[in-house]
Amino acid sequence: DGGITQSPKYLFRKEGQNVTLSCEQNLNHDAMYWYRQDPGQGLRLIYYSQIVNDFQKGDIAEGYSVSREKKESFPLTVTSAQKNPTAFYLCASKERAVMNTEAFFGQGTRLTVV
Amino acid sequence: QKEVEQDPGPLSVPEGAIVSLNCTYSNSAFQYFMWYRQYSRKGPELLMYTYSSGNKEDGRFTAQVDKSSKYISLFIRDSQPSDSATYLCAMSGDTGRRALTFGSGTRLQVQP
């Protein structure tokens, strides 16, 4: 089955640690996105990638980093510079960045700072 | 002011009711409009996708877009307890990144 897989489902981070969230897709989509979801605030765009080896900052990129070395993979690192990282993180993909088509989402990773 | 405004609810209705969910937006460049359904602790799933103004129907769901008023709606007929979820509107326009801009979501509860 084609889809987007995010792992882990739950992640706990200690203060000052970097953590990496995994996102893998087998849909052969060019574009991939990371969103953050907080209660009552909807989804906010962190980073996006339109093609392999290219990525752009979204609206709330501070404290996050990404890479896009392979078409199917778009990992997100939450660094110690992110002051309020506790949230639900969603990865999405779209067939082509320049097409106004729907985005498909993974099942999310819930990150909690302990 | 947010680009997309959506009443957070919760909206509680009895089973069988007609539900109306709405979003308003301020960016006139938006041309593509989507509704996603999100169950608790899950990723959003696409329900409806429409382009420009007009209506689109799919089973019990009808999406309406009024670009002149910058207002979109999702109607659910014969609502079921399984429709209980958060509904997110999303939209995009002819910008370089084509990423979606989301509303904050409306939580719907359908009481059996």
Side-chain angles (χ1 to χ4, degrees):
Chain A
D1 287 335
I4 301 174
T5 301
Q6 289 187 244
S7 62
K9 190 172 182 180
Y10 299 97
L11 186 58
F12 298 90
R13 192 194 94 167
K14 294 181 180 179
E15 295 281 352
Q17 271 187 340
N18 292 355
V19 291
T20 297
L21 284 60
S22 171
C23 178
E24 303 277 331
Q25 54 99 358
N26 61 3
L27 300 167
N28 199 34
H29 285 176
D30 281 344
M32 297 186 74
Y33 306 83
W34 274 106
Y35 288 90
R36 169 180 171 143
Q37 188 174 31
D38 296 281
Q41 293 198 46
L43 277 67
R44 294 182 289 166
L45 183 66
I46 304 172
Y47 267 98
Y48 64 102
S49 169
Q50 299 187 62
I51 201 166
V52 175
N53 293 321
D54 177 74
F55 51 83
Q56 306 293 329
K57 292 182 179 180
D59 301 317
I60 55 165
E62 185 175 351
Y64 300 98
S65 66
V66 294
S67 63
R68 186 85 187 276
E69 297 176 1
K70 297 186 295 182
K71 187 175 186 177
E72 60 269 24
S73 178
F74 191 40
L76 173 75
T77 296
V78 185
T79 75
S80 57
Q82 170 50 238
K83 298 305 178 189
N84 185 22
T86 295
F88 191 47
Y89 290 86
L90 287 159
C91 178
S93 73
K94 205 165 67 163
E95 185 176 356
R96 299 283 186 274
V98 294
M99 291 169 61
N100 278 296
T101 55
E102 62 271 33
F104 295 91
F105 284 85
Q107 291 303 296
T109 293
R110 187 166 298 276
L111 173 63
T112 304
V113 174
V114 296
Chain B
Q1 184 186 5
K2 292 181 181 179
E3 273 192 298
V4 180
E5 298 279 358
Q6 187 175 5
D7 188 331
L11 178 63
S12 184
V13 301
E15 184 175 353
I18 296 175
V19 175
S20 173
L21 304 166
N22 311 294
C23 288
T24 59
Y25 63 95
S26 57
N27 189 344
S28 58
F30 289 144
Q31 296 187 58
Y32 303 88
F33 304 91
M34 283 139 273
W35 286 95
Y36 284 84
R37 178 175 61 195
Q38 185 178 25
Y39 293 112
S40 181
R41 303 181 187 274
K42 301 290 185 184
E45 56 178 325
L46 182 70
L47 273 180
M48 300 288 284
Y49 175 87
T50 55
Y51 169 69
S52 198
S53 288
N55 293 0
K56 184 175 182 179
E57 187 174 322
D58 184 0
R60 297 186 295 113
F61 300 92
T62 299
Q64 282 187 353
V65 175
D66 182 350
K67 288 189 70 180
S68 62
S69 302
K70 297 189 178 67
Y71 188 87
I72 69 170
S73 301
L74 177 71
F75 297 96
I76 307 174
R77 290 183 297 281
D78 188 25
S79 55
Q80 304 295 311
S82 58
D83 294 328
S84 298
T86 295
Y87 290 80
L88 299 154
C89 64
M91 45 199 79
S92 68
D94 288 325
T95 59
R97 69 185 194 188
R98 298 289 201 288
L100 299 175
T101 301
F102 283 85
S104 57
T106 299
R107 190 155 60 93
L108 171 67
Q109 296 172 337
V110 181
Q111 307 293 341

